Amino acid sequence: MPNKVLIKKRGLARRKKSIKGKLTIGKYPRLVVYRSNLHLYAQLVDDNKSETIMSISTNDKAIRDDLTTISSKIEKSIFVGKKIGSEILKKKINKV
């Protein structure tokens, strides 16, 4: 059983390395999106400074009240995408 977990972790690391290698790291901030079974997380990361510029999720207190009326995951993801998009534009970041 532990062998299966090790194989999955190696595959995940290989895919992550492959994806980050293809990106133009350093020119623009990178938008990272993670979807768990319950929540959706989105972050804007600056790889040059190794810091997170901003993040938003369906678990944040600021938008949790707005999400109570939305029932499906797809609609929630659209809402989070629009929200982080507007925050990115407020910070005057044009390319991601």
Side-chain angles (χ1 to χ4, degrees):
M1 200 66 151
N3 197 16
K4 282 186 175 182
V5 173
L6 186 62
I7 291 171
K8 282 187 176 186
K9 286 185 178 182
R10 282 185 191 158
L12 180 65
R14 180 184 49 81
R15 287 189 300 274
K16 184 177 179 182
K17 183 179 177 185
S18 172
I19 290 169
K20 284 182 75 174
K22 292 176 186 176
L23 297 174
T24 56
I25 294 179
K27 285 187 174 181
Y28 313 113
R30 179 169 49 103
L31 182 64
V32 181
V33 179
Y34 174 73
R35 188 180 127 199
S36 71
N37 287 335
L38 295 176
H39 298 288
L40 182 83
Y41 304 89
Q43 303 177 357
L44 193 64
V45 178
D46 185 4
D47 289 316
N48 291 332
K49 298 177 185 175
S50 297
E51 67 179 12
T52 302
I53 299 171
M54 70 176 65
S55 67
I56 192 168
S57 73
T58 55
N59 205 14
D60 289 344
K61 290 180 182 177
I63 65 167
R64 196 179 300 161
D65 296 333
D66 297 334
L67 293 173
T68 55
T69 58
I70 301 172
S71 60
S72 76
K73 280 188 191 178
I74 295 171
E75 292 173 359
K76 287 180 182 180
S77 64
I78 291 170
F79 180 80
V80 169
K82 287 180 180 178
K83 192 77 169 175
I84 197 162
S86 65
E87 293 293 322
I88 289 171
L89 291 176
K90 284 181 187 175
K91 288 204 173 210
K92 298 180 181 175
I93 298 172
N94 295 326
K95 288 192 175 183
V96 177

